Amino acid sequence: MPADTAPADLRPRRWTALALICAAQFMLILDVTVVNVALPAVAADLDLGRTALTWVVAAYTLCFGGLMLLGGRLADAVGARRTLLTGLALFTAASLACGLAPNAEVLLAGRVAQGIGAALLSPAALALVTTTFHGPERARALGVWAAIGGTGSAVGVLLGGALTAGPGWPWIFHVNVPTGLALLAILPRLLPEDTRTGRTGHLDVPGALLVTAATGALVHGLVRAGDDGWTSPVTLLSLLAAIALYGTFAATERRTRTPLMDLRMLTRRPVVAGSLLMLVATALLIAFFFLGSLRLQRVDGLDAFRTGLLFLPVALTTAIGAHLGSRLVTTAGPRACAAGGMALAAAGCLPLALLTPTAYPWTTLLPSLATAALGLGAVFVTATTTALGLIPAHEAGLASGIVNTFHELGGTLGVALASTLALGASTTGYTTAFTLCALTAAGTALAAPLLTPRDRPHHPGGAHGLH
C-alpha cells in the first residue's frame, strides 16, 4: 500500500514497527560478534575444547546462513508476519537455553536453535520493510536497515566484553530474553496482517537441509584437520561428504519445481562476483574477531571488558570503510573498490603474518586489524552493490538471498579455518592463521579485476545492504 494512500491510523505506526523490526534484527547481528569476546570465559566454565569452542560460533552462523533462503520462501508462503513472530519466539527461547546451559551439548543445541530462529526472522523482517514502505520512504527505511549491520557488530564486541566481565558470560544470551519478550508483546499489534491463505505450496526443505549439511560437513572436516591432520580418515571423509552433499544439492535444485536456489543465478557474473567477495570478506572479518579476541585474552592476559573495548575501533573502521565504499563504488567503479579494499586488508594482516604473537603487543594487533577492517568494509558494499546493482530489478530478491547466505556461510568457514590454524598448534598458529588471511586477501585483490564486472552498479530496487 503506497504511503500516500495508507489509512491514517497506519501512517505513524509503520515507523514504530520499523524501529522494532530493526531491534529484532539487531539482536541477530549482535549475536554473531557478542560471543567472540566471551569465548575464553565460556570455555573455562563449561570445560570446552577447541572443537566445541569453534562450534559455539559456527553452529549459529551455519544454521542462519544455510536455512535463510528457506526462511524467505516460508515467509512468502505463509506470510512474513507469522514467520517473523515464529522466528523471534524461537530465537528468544533458544537464547534463554544458551544462557542456562550446564554443558557443551545444551549450549550447542541452543546455538543451533538460535540460528534457525534467525533464519526465519531475518528474511521475513526484510520482506515486511520492503512491503510496508514505498517510494522515497522505502529508500530511507532500507538505509536504516542497512545501518544495523555495522552498528550491531560494533555494539556486539563492546557488550560482550562488558557482560562477560560483569554479570558473566550467560548474560550475553540472557540479554536477548527481555528484549525478545517485549517485541513479541508489541509487534503483533503493529505489523500488518498476512494476506496469505495459509497454503504453503511446495517448499524445498530437502534443498535447505542438504546445503546446511554440506557446509556442516565441510566445517567439521576443517575443524578436525586441526586435531587429526589434513590426511586423517575423519578429515578426508568429512571433506568428501561435503563435496558429495553439495553435488546432491545441485542435482536436487535442478529437478525440483520450486528450487531453493535457482542455480542459473550462479551463471550471472555479477551475482557470482558479489557472492564470492562477500564470502571472503566475511570469512576474514569473523576470523579477525575470533583470533584477536582469543589472542588478547590468552596471550596478552587482558580481561573480557578491555578486549571488547579494544575491538571497538575494528568494528567502527568496518562501518567507515562501508561508508567510503558506498561512494567509491559508483565513482572509481566496483573493480577498483574490490581490489583496493582487499589490498588494504592484506596490508593490515602483513605485520601479524611476519611476527610471532609474543613479538608484537596489542598496540600492533589492533591497528593492523583496524586497517584490514577498513578495507573489508568497502568490499562488503562492493559485493552487495555488484550483485544487486548489475542485474534486473525482478531478480534482486533472489540475488539478495544468495549474497546474504554467502555472508553467513563465510563467517562459518572463517572461524573454522581460524580455529584449525591458530588453536590446533602452538602459539605460532596465530601467525599461520594471519598469514593465510593475508594471502587470501592478496589473492582476492589480484583476482578482483578479472572477477568483477567493469560496469558501475545502479541502485537496485530491493534491499542493498547487509543484514
Side-chain angles (χ1 to χ4, degrees):
M1 182 181 296
D4 55 357
T5 62
D9 61 337
L10 287 180
R11 291 176 188 172
R13 291 195 302 168
R14 67 178 179 274
W15 291 105
T16 304
L18 174 66
L20 296 178
I21 290 172
C22 285
Q25 176 70 10
F26 185 81
M27 288 196 303
L28 310 186
I29 301 303
L30 184 139
D31 252 54
V32 176
T33 56
V34 73
V35 173
N36 282 284
V37 180
L39 286 176
V42 176
D45 280 2
L46 299 185
D47 192 26
L48 302 185
R50 182 188 67 83
T51 299
L53 200 63
T54 305
W55 280 107
V56 170
V57 179
Y60 177 68
T61 55
L62 173 63
C63 293
F64 193 173
L67 300 176
M68 188 184 301
L69 288 174
L70 181 63
R73 294 297 176 99
L74 193 63
D76 290 338
V78 304
R81 180 182 189 271
R82 185 179 293 113
T83 305
L84 183 148
L85 294 175
T86 301
L88 179 58
L90 178 58
F91 182 85
T92 303
S95 296
L96 179 62
C98 287
L100 297 175
N103 52 47
E105 290 76 15
V106 175
L107 177 60
L108 294 179
R111 289 292 279 171
V112 168
Q114 276 190 313
I116 296 172
L120 294 175
L121 193 161
S122 187
L126 183 55
L128 283 167
V129 172
T130 55
T131 56
T132 302
F133 295 90
H134 301 268
E137 282 191 344
R138 177 182 288 176
R140 291 198 295 272
L142 289 173
V144 173
W145 177 269
I148 292 296
T151 307
S153 298
V155 174
V157 294
L158 187 60
L159 185 63
L163 291 175
T164 303
W169 68 263
W171 281 91
I172 65 174
F173 301 113
H174 287 328
V175 72
N176 294 329
V177 178
T179 305
L181 291 175
L183 291 173
L184 285 169
I186 301 171
L187 275 174
R189 290 179 284 177
L190 297 175
L191 298 179
E193 292 291 335
D194 291 324
T195 58
R196 303 293 176 183
T197 62
R199 296 174 58 188
T200 59
H202 177 77
L203 292 174
D204 186 17
V205 176
L209 295 179
L210 280 169
V211 73
T212 305
T215 308
L218 177 59
V219 171
H220 182 263
L222 295 176
V223 172
R224 289 303 298 264
D227 294 326
D228 305 329
W230 290 97
T231 58
S232 74
V234 174
T235 301
L236 293 176
L237 284 174
S238 295
L239 297 178
L240 289 173
I243 295 172
L245 287 168
Y246 279 125
T248 306
F249 168 72
T252 300
E253 296 306 280
R254 290 191 181 95
R255 290 197 306 266
T256 188
R257 288 185 295 110
T258 54
L260 184 73
M261 180 186 295
D262 187 348
L263 297 180
R264 290 174 298 180
M265 287 294 289
L266 296 180
T267 64
R268 308 290 178 86
R269 187 178 177 188
V271 177
V272 172
S275 298
L276 291 178
L277 287 173
M278 183 64 74
L279 181 80
V280 174
T282 310
L284 290 173
L285 188 63
I286 297 300
F288 292 163
F289 280 113
F290 183 83
L291 292 168
S293 176
L294 291 176
R295 187 203 169 280
L296 286 172
Q297 295 181 69
R298 290 184 170 181
V299 178
D300 290 328
L302 302 182
D303 62 19
F305 178 71
R306 193 177 179 191
T307 298
L309 195 63
L310 289 174
F311 257 107
L312 189 57
V314 179
L316 292 177
T317 54
T318 307
I320 294 171
H323 176 72
L324 295 175
S326 66
R327 296 173 178 271
L328 291 173
V329 75
T330 55
T331 55
R335 286 184 174 180
C337 200
M342 280 297 178
L344 191 59
C349 290
L350 194 59
L352 309 179
L354 297 176
L355 300 171
T356 61
T358 54
Y360 58 82
W362 64 264
T363 50
T364 300
L365 175 72
L366 271 301
S368 295
L369 293 185
T371 301
L374 182 68
L376 293 181
V379 176
F380 282 130
V381 173
T382 306
T384 308
T385 54
T386 297
L388 302 186
L390 296 175
I391 62 171
H394 70 274
E395 294 180 334
L398 178 57
S400 176
I402 292 173
V403 171
N404 283 335
T405 297
F406 273 75
H407 176 267
E408 297 302 329
L409 297 183
T412 305
L413 297 178
V415 72
L417 279 170
S419 169
T420 294
L421 295 174
L423 306 183
S426 62
T427 55
T428 59
Y430 288 98
T431 302
T432 304
F434 282 122
T435 300
L436 178 63
C437 290
L439 291 174
T440 301
T444 307
L446 293 174
L450 302 175
L451 178 70
T452 311
R454 183 189 302 274
D455 298 337
R456 284 164 171 69
H458 58 75
H459 291 292
H464 51 279
L466 294 177
H467 306 303

